[in-house]
Amino acid sequence: MFFVFLASGLFLGWSLGANDAANVFGTAVGTRMVKFRTAAIACSIFVVLGAVVGGAGTSHTLGKLGAVNALAGSFTVALAAGLTVAWMTRLRLPVSTSQAIVGAIVGWNLFSGSLTDMESLTQILSSWILCPILAGVFAVGLLKLTQLFFRFARFHLFTIDSGTRLGLLVVGAFASYSLGANNIANVMGVFVPSSPLGDLHIMGLFKLSGDQQLFFLGAIAIGVGVFTYSKKVMLTVGNDLFRLSPIAALIVVLAQAIVLFLFSSEQLENLLASNGLPTLPLVPVSSSQAVIGAVVGVGLAKGGRNIKWGVLGRIASGWVSTPLIAGLISFVCLYFVQNVFSQKVHSPIPYEFSHQAAMKLRGLNTYGDELDELIGKRFKSAVEFQDAVGQIVESESLANGVVELSELHPLLVDVEALAPQLDYHWYSKEQVHAVFRLHGRRFDYAWQLADALASISDSWRLKPSTKKNKLYNKGIKAKLQHLNGLFLTNLAPPN
Amino acid sequence: MEIPFGQAKEIESQVDAFLDAIVKTALVLKEGVRAYLHARPEDFENRIKAVTYLEHQADDLRRQTKIALYAHSLIPESRGDVLGLLEHMDDIADEAKAILRDIEVQSPEIPADLAELFLEVTDKSVEAVDNVVLAARCYFRDPKKISAYINKVDFFESETDRAGLMLRKKIFRSDIDLARKLHLRYFADLLESLSDIAQNVAERLTIATIKREV
């Protein structure tokens, strides 16, 4: 059944391959510098590599935006995004898969009564502004460097031509890798929470996690999209906005690849964080936006006279309409899938403000006793609970804190049954000991398990929130999330 | 594989050989005119053979380059400019051959006092060709330096015009009959036309170089 539902994700992957591959190799193929066949093969191979090796980072952010927790819901969300992309492509409107999937997930949040994580949404929205600007800045820098290089270097026109071809292929491969790493979350991210796939050991040589297998399937779909439909798009892309020379095309693709890489590389984030430097959020950005930012950068650096601002305006309007349309289609499709096809599109997450939650809030010195009237009442959805809280407290941050603490996530620590699934290379000895000491304990909330573990062992304690500690805390939170998934049990009936 | 570094080298050599052939046709023309004016018929015959051979060679090289550029989809952005450039430079070789052939066929009678001016027009015209070939080499290898050669082409084209004007004045002020005057003017025009073609190529090179900017 899972693979039937996965079909919509594969469809979305196909449309991503058909569209976004054009951003990577469009100018190279459009100017006949690289043959379509060569471009398609290089693009497919490196998209798969990027997706499997580096696809995890951005899928976490999408997961935080809205954890689509039922398979039919994931199917519908991916279908809505895929339909939006395919429809807008048919209308010859520029479209971004990242924006379509974010719109579709927010549509699911609205339909299921789940809260949209504003921090993730803000991160994603700001990255959509930052991404084209960064790409533009990189493109201008690279252009200046190239101009400087050619001021001193002497190459024959034909040698430059061959070098540019090689460059377009190499940079295109890097851009494909970055596209796979950054955008695979768009295609498969919504299936991660509901995926039944376990680890797969291949001839004892290497291991593919369940997520990586999903990403591999999605990347194959992207590859099929590249081979079957991207040629037409590639041949029309590139010259719409600003006519590019092959070297300028190379600069544009490189700028795009660097930006996609910056927004998806966990290794780079680790490196920056461990040196106390600010990090970029790992979010799926749009390769179309990156390319357009880079093209406009190059155009402006050359005086800006030849940029077709009308075309740019049309493209920018697509950036606003895509998420809105995808959100709307997602909402309508979810309604039909749930009510006409009787499929479960979301698993309700109940909320209850208990004595424990109240005590925890008091411990944090953020709460008096104004919410006591809510104690013991159970709410069916986050939105319903938030409304109730909002009527009592005025402070938005307090209300958000209350909602976060009240999300019921019943856990039963069953070490014996679950020990084989614990990754001993990931967890430290002390951490495993602490988990074992909690064997048999039940918790109503995820934060209770975190607190219990932190009280037993320092190895589970979060450090003060600083740039240097960001990486350490991220690791602890990822392990806690893993345990929350492993120990999830049935909910006790309301009091 | 479409990273044709090997083919690029081969075409580079072809283009260089083509430019060599063009500059040689102009130099052979100069020596041919000198041989005719100094009444060295055997030398003149050899020059006609040489210019014919070089013109054929230039044609072949241009054709081969054109086929290679299309067959391997090389320099897609500059292909039109480069092929246009080669075609117009080929006109120089065609014109040089045509001038020597016309001299051979029509055997103009050039008075001794006009010979020096005929030689001057020829020399200046060939200088213009020499510099436009250098400019073309710069277009392919070092576009920054092209303007110096383009300026020289303009200079020698003006010098040719100036010498040509003096020659025509001298022709029409001489005592020879009108038919002969017109005949001599025809050859003065022919020799001048070489520098006009060179200037035309130089203008194309200027535009093509702007288009090559990164």
Side-chain angles (χ1 to χ4, degrees):
Chain A
M1 200 60 186
F2 173 73
F3 289 99
V4 175
F5 280 122
L6 199 63
S8 68
L10 299 179
F11 167 59
L12 182 60
W14 176 85
S15 39
L16 189 141
N19 276 290
D20 292 31
N23 296 326
V24 173
F25 275 110
T27 41
V29 174
T31 54
R32 314 265 174 196
M33 292 291 278
V34 177
K35 279 185 196 153
F36 172 72
R37 226 174 90 88
T38 315
I41 292 171
C43 186
S44 305
I45 292 173
F46 283 93
V47 161
V48 171
L49 271 178
V52 176
V53 178
T58 56
S59 71
H60 289 156
T61 313
L62 266 195
K64 264 167 74 186
L65 178 70
V68 183
N69 56 11
L71 205 46
S74 308
F75 168 83
T76 315
V77 166
L79 181 70
L83 285 175
T84 310
V85 172
W87 183 46
M88 289 186 73
T89 308
R90 259 192 91 79
L91 293 178
R92 297 186 64 79
L93 288 169
V95 61
S96 148
T97 322
S98 311
Q99 288 171 323
I101 196 75
V102 167
I105 290 175
V106 173
W108 180 86
N109 283 347
L110 291 174
F111 184 83
S112 63
S114 307
L115 291 177
T116 301
D117 181 39
M118 290 319 281
E119 193 194 336
S120 304
L121 188 65
T122 316
Q123 242 181 25
I124 290 172
L125 292 182
S126 58
S127 79
W128 289 351
I129 298 165
L130 197 61
C131 163
I133 293 174
L134 258 185
V137 169
F138 276 119
V140 172
L142 290 167
L143 181 75
K144 297 286 169 203
L145 275 178
T146 313
Q147 284 170 338
L148 195 70
F149 174 74
F150 279 109
R151 197 171 297 162
F152 296 106
R154 281 184 62 200
F155 294 107
H156 199 283
L157 177 66
F158 293 104
T159 311
I160 294 174
D161 179 65
S162 302
T164 311
R165 280 161 202 266
L166 182 64
L168 280 169
L169 202 57
V170 172
V171 169
F174 172 44
S176 303
Y177 177 91
S178 303
L179 180 71
N182 188 283
N183 274 203
I184 192 66
N186 295 339
V187 177
M188 288 289 137
V190 285
F191 292 95
V192 168
S194 45
S195 161
L197 296 171
D199 291 353
L200 182 70
H201 293 269
I202 296 169
M203 292 187 291
L205 289 174
F206 57 92
K207 183 189 88 175
L208 280 184
S209 69
D211 292 357
Q212 282 177 319
Q213 291 164 54
L214 260 185
F215 294 164
F216 180 75
L217 289 174
I220 295 284
I222 296 175
V224 174
V226 172
F227 269 98
T228 53
Y229 204 76
S230 70
K231 189 172 185 179
K232 219 170 89 181
V233 191
M234 278 188 192
L235 290 174
T236 52
V237 89
N239 291 333
D240 266 5
L241 188 63
F242 182 82
R243 198 172 159 73
L244 291 170
S245 68
I247 293 181
L250 178 66
I251 290 167
V252 164
V253 178
L254 185 57
Q256 174 211 15
I258 294 173
V259 170
L260 284 183
F261 185 74
L262 289 178
F263 279 106
S264 50
S265 173
E266 282 187 310
Q267 289 83 356
L268 183 73
E269 190 195 33
N270 293 350
L271 184 75
L272 290 173
S274 59
N275 287 301
L277 294 167
T279 55
L280 280 173
L282 300 183
V283 291
V285 288
S286 153
S287 59
S288 323
Q289 285 183 331
V291 158
I292 285 157
V295 171
V296 171
V298 167
L300 286 176
K302 285 183 163 190
R305 283 182 298 275
N306 296 326
I307 299 175
K308 297 169 191 157
W309 293 105
V311 177
L312 185 65
R314 202 167 64 94
I315 292 170
S317 70
W319 294 350
V320 179
S321 57
T322 306
L324 296 178
I325 292 172
L328 190 68
I329 294 180
S330 172
F331 194 91
V332 173
C333 286
L334 284 165
Y335 178 84
F336 274 99
V337 171
Q338 180 177 274
N339 296 309
V340 178
F341 299 102
S342 307
Q343 295 292 322
K344 186 177 165 192
V345 293
H346 67 101
S347 301
I349 298 172
Y351 284 74
E352 186 179 321
F353 187 64
S354 60
H355 284 290
Q356 294 100 312
M359 273 169 65
K360 171 90 175 168
L361 270 184
R362 282 196 188 100
L364 295 171
N365 289 327
T366 50
Y367 163 70
D369 48 11
E370 61 268 33
L371 284 166
D372 282 357
E373 60 179 278
L374 289 180
I375 289 177
K377 286 185 189 165
R378 189 168 286 185
F379 295 82
K380 277 186 207 153
S381 75
V383 172
E384 207 177 289
F385 181 62
Q386 198 184 36
D387 286 346
V389 175
Q391 283 171 5
I392 300 167
V393 294
E394 277 178 15
S395 156
E396 202 178 318
S397 65
L398 175 60
N400 288 341
V402 172
V403 172
E404 206 179 312
L405 280 178
S406 306
E407 179 185 331
L408 284 168
H409 189 92
L411 298 165
L412 170 63
V413 183
D414 184 1
V415 173
E416 277 165 29
L418 296 166
Q421 288 194 39
L422 274 175
D423 186 342
Y424 286 93
H425 296 292
W426 191 29
Y427 291 99
S428 70
K429 222 180 218 175
E430 294 81 35
Q431 285 174 329
V432 175
H433 274 296
V435 176
F436 272 53
R437 281 181 59 188
L438 292 177
H439 178 60
R441 288 271 302 273
R442 278 182 180 277
F443 300 99
D444 290 333
Y445 302 100
W447 55 264
Q448 286 178 315
L449 173 66
D451 284 358
L453 286 170
S455 67
I456 293 172
S457 165
D458 281 348
S459 62
W460 280 107
R461 215 161 281 164
L462 292 174
K463 290 182 178 174
S465 177
T466 61
K467 274 180 201 156
K468 269 213 156 143
N469 293 337
K470 190 178 171 184
L471 201 63
Y472 178 85
N473 288 345
K474 199 179 156 188
I476 300 270
K477 282 177 188 168
K479 286 172 191 170
L480 284 170
Q481 203 176 1
H482 183 229
L483 292 182
N484 288 338
L486 285 178
F487 298 146
L488 185 66
T489 184
N490 290 330
L491 192 63
N495 298 325
Chain B
M1 192 61 192
E2 58 206 79
I3 309 302
F5 279 107
Q7 280 145 10
K9 285 279 161 223
E10 203 182 312
I11 297 175
E12 277 174 39
S13 316
Q14 269 176 20
V15 170
D16 282 342
F18 172 82
L19 295 175
D20 289 344
I22 299 299
V23 86
K24 277 182 195 163
T25 51
L27 293 172
V28 170
L29 166 79
K30 190 165 93 173
E31 292 310 314
V33 171
R34 203 175 295 275
Y36 182 79
L37 290 170
H38 294 166
R40 297 195 305 259
E42 204 176 319
D43 191 9
F44 182 68
E45 276 301 312
N46 287 336
R47 301 297 175 185
I48 289 184
K49 279 182 196 156
V51 87
T52 308
Y53 170 75
L54 286 167
E55 191 268 340
H56 274 304
Q57 195 188 20
D59 267 347
D60 284 346
L61 286 165
R62 183 180 58 80
R63 211 170 295 121
Q64 283 170 26
T65 309
K66 185 176 176 179
I67 291 168
L69 289 188
Y70 277 110
H72 304 297
S73 305
L74 295 175
I75 50 164
E77 286 288 304
S78 322
R79 198 186 301 152
D81 289 334
V82 168
L83 290 178
L85 183 70
L86 298 188
E87 251 164 55
H88 282 81
M89 294 200 85
D90 200 28
D91 290 347
I92 295 174
D94 293 344
E95 190 72 0
K97 189 180 90 171
I99 294 171
L100 285 190
R101 280 270 178 237
D102 275 359
I103 294 176
E104 184 198 21
V105 172
Q106 302 177 27
S107 302
E109 282 178 43
I110 299 174
D113 61 330
L114 292 179
E116 207 45 45
L117 269 173
F118 262 103
L119 274 179
E120 193 181 339
V121 172
T122 312
D123 284 354
K124 303 290 183 202
S125 235
V126 169
E127 283 278 5
V129 171
D130 200 18
N131 278 287
V132 88
V133 170
L134 288 171
R137 288 190 205 279
C138 279
Y139 169 76
F140 287 107
R141 288 189 191 278
D142 199 1
K144 302 179 291 290
K145 293 186 178 155
I146 204 165
S147 59
Y149 294 108
I150 300 282
N151 287 337
K152 282 187 178 176
V153 175
D154 284 341
F155 172 76
F156 283 112
E157 198 273 336
S158 308
E159 283 295 295
T160 313
D161 283 352
R162 188 192 51 77
L165 185 67
M166 276 169 62
L167 177 59
R168 277 193 294 273
K169 275 183 184 171
K170 210 165 177 181
I171 289 171
F172 283 96
R173 283 170 194 168
S174 64
D175 297 334
I176 54 179
D177 60 52
L178 184 62
R180 205 170 146 205
K181 281 179 185 169
L182 292 174
H183 196 207
L184 290 179
R185 200 221 30 205
Y186 168 72
F187 280 96
D189 287 350
L190 268 188
L191 289 168
E192 267 189 72
S193 69
L194 212 59
S195 69
D196 292 334
I197 301 175
Q199 195 182 36
N200 182 16
V201 172
E203 275 167 19
R204 289 179 156 268
L205 274 171
T206 309
I207 304 293
T209 307
I210 293 170
K211 283 162 79 177
R212 260 197 70 184
E213 278 172 10
V214 177

